[in-house]
Amino acid sequence: MRRKSRQRKVILDVLKRTKTHPSAECVYREAKKVIPNISLGTVYRNLKLLQSVGEVSEISCEGDEGRFDGNPHLHYHITCRQCGKIKDVEDILFYNIEKKVAAVTGFKIVNHCVGFQGICPECLNK
Amino acid sequence: MRRKSRQRKVILDVLKRTKTHPSAECVYREAKKVIPNISLGTVYRNLKLLQSVGEVSEISCEGDEGRFDGNPHLHYHITCRQCGKIKDVEDILFYNIEKKVAAVTGFKIVNHCVGFQGICPECLNK
DNA sequence: ATAGGTGCAAATGTTTTGCTGTCAA
DNA sequence: TTGACAGCAAAACATTTGCACCTAT
């Protein structure tokens, strides 16, 4: 049975309040501000555990590997090729594509993800 | 100016004919059959170079990191959560979502990718 | 009391890089 | 001839894991 450790709570809290989709290393640095002797291994272990219970997710799509999102709801991401920032894409979701793909491939679909790459407004104005 | 090395040709050829979306290590093993003393560093260097000129692409979307595709045309992938195989999703493309997302985010979109996760027909029948 | 969790450090796996020699143009 | 590229090995990262100790329940 799972216990609530202080470390896990802090890690989850960091993810919930950090909007920049931090890497494991970055979560570690933030968590260290609260628990100075927390270890990187613990961060990895908890990120994995929190993913497995669906409380956080790991972002991925072309070059965004190893960054995490404390928002567990399905949503898409967009990455700036110039400055590297990752933002959430709001209000766009394709619920029906899973059915379509199931029909075409014969797979039972359990999830999908979508990622965009581009240049953000700030970088465009430079 | 770029030269056509034998190694690069073999690596590209492996990718073109391998439909299983191989990892770098796997490309290395295949290439070794043709050039026994090819080095892993060369494989990585060429995979990167071939990506940068758009001849191959690296697949990514939740758990498919580090696998490559010799088909340079935009298409989506689906991964079986049980046996791990990655297949191409044929005949489904969302050209218009880039415009939509550009409008919503203010980004100039240069690319997008879509990945599905599920259980393949073979695994379902076990 | 005890199972789950932690910190630490070593191990692992993957990718990159420096260097020297080689080869395509 | 020469600059791009290869092979090799070391380095650099990122992530996982074994172990002994700690702590919620």
Side-chain angles (χ1 to χ4, degrees):
Chain A
M1 179 209 157
R2 184 173 319 117
R3 289 186 339 214
K4 304 175 201 160
S5 73
R6 185 168 167 237
Q7 287 79 349
R8 183 138 64 233
K9 271 185 248 173
V10 169
I11 288 166
L12 185 55
D13 181 59
V14 166
L15 279 163
K16 291 284 181 200
R17 70 162 192 264
T18 306
K19 302 299 177 199
T20 53
H21 308 90
S23 64
E25 185 68 36
C26 177
V27 171
Y28 172 60
R29 282 197 306 272
E30 280 303 307
K32 239 178 150 53
K33 292 180 186 169
V34 185
I35 307 176
N37 74 329
I38 196 173
S39 87
L40 188 53
T42 294
V43 171
Y44 274 103
R45 269 189 291 241
N46 278 295
L47 285 173
K48 211 166 192 183
L49 193 155
L50 289 167
Q51 273 183 81
S52 74
V53 298
E55 295 210 62
V56 313
S57 60
E58 186 173 353
I59 300 175
S60 73
C61 259
E62 300 211 358
D64 308 337
E65 283 73 37
R67 296 181 61 173
F68 296 85
D69 195 326
N71 173 4
H73 299 103
L74 179 61
H75 61 282
Y76 307 148
H77 293 103
I78 182 161
T79 307
C80 178
R81 286 250 172 114
Q82 202 154 318
C83 68
K85 90 167 70 98
I86 302 176
K87 296 186 88 170
D88 293 338
V89 175
E90 320 249 342
D91 305 321
I92 295 187
L93 270 185
F94 306 106
Y95 287 112
N96 45 349
I97 61 176
E98 292 198 0
K99 271 178 224 137
K100 207 165 168 179
V101 171
V104 170
T105 62
F107 276 59
K108 177 173 186 290
I109 312 291
V110 301
N111 195 25
H112 75 274
C113 67
V114 180
F116 298 87
Q117 295 84 47
I119 312 292
C120 73
E122 293 75 36
C123 287
L124 282 173
N125 288 329
K126 273 179 204 159
Chain B
M1 183 205 152
R2 182 173 321 116
R3 292 192 332 221
K4 303 176 204 160
S5 72
R6 182 166 170 239
Q7 287 78 350
R8 182 138 65 235
K9 271 185 248 175
V10 168
I11 289 167
L12 186 54
D13 181 59
V14 166
L15 279 164
K16 292 285 181 201
R17 70 163 194 264
T18 307
K19 303 298 178 201
T20 53
H21 307 91
S23 64
E25 185 68 35
C26 177
V27 172
Y28 173 60
R29 282 197 307 270
E30 281 303 308
K32 240 178 150 52
K33 292 179 186 170
V34 185
I35 307 176
N37 73 329
I38 196 172
S39 87
L40 187 53
T42 294
V43 170
Y44 274 104
R45 267 189 291 245
N46 278 296
L47 285 174
K48 212 167 191 182
L49 193 154
L50 290 167
Q51 272 182 82
S52 73
V53 299
E55 295 210 62
V56 313
S57 60
E58 186 173 352
I59 300 175
S60 73
C61 259
E62 300 209 358
D64 308 337
E65 284 72 37
R67 295 182 61 172
F68 296 85
D69 194 327
N71 173 2
H73 300 104
L74 179 61
H75 61 281
Y76 307 147
H77 294 103
I78 183 162
T79 308
C80 178
R81 285 248 173 115
Q82 202 154 318
C83 67
K85 89 167 69 94
I86 300 177
K87 296 187 88 170
D88 293 338
V89 175
E90 320 248 343
D91 305 321
I92 294 188
L93 271 184
F94 307 105
Y95 287 113
N96 45 351
I97 61 176
E98 292 199 2
K99 274 179 222 135
K100 208 166 168 179
V101 171
V104 170
T105 62
F107 276 59
K108 177 174 186 289
I109 312 291
V110 301
N111 194 26
H112 76 275
C113 67
V114 180
F116 298 88
Q117 296 84 46
I119 312 292
C120 73
E122 292 75 36
C123 286
L124 281 172
N125 287 331
K126 275 180 204 156

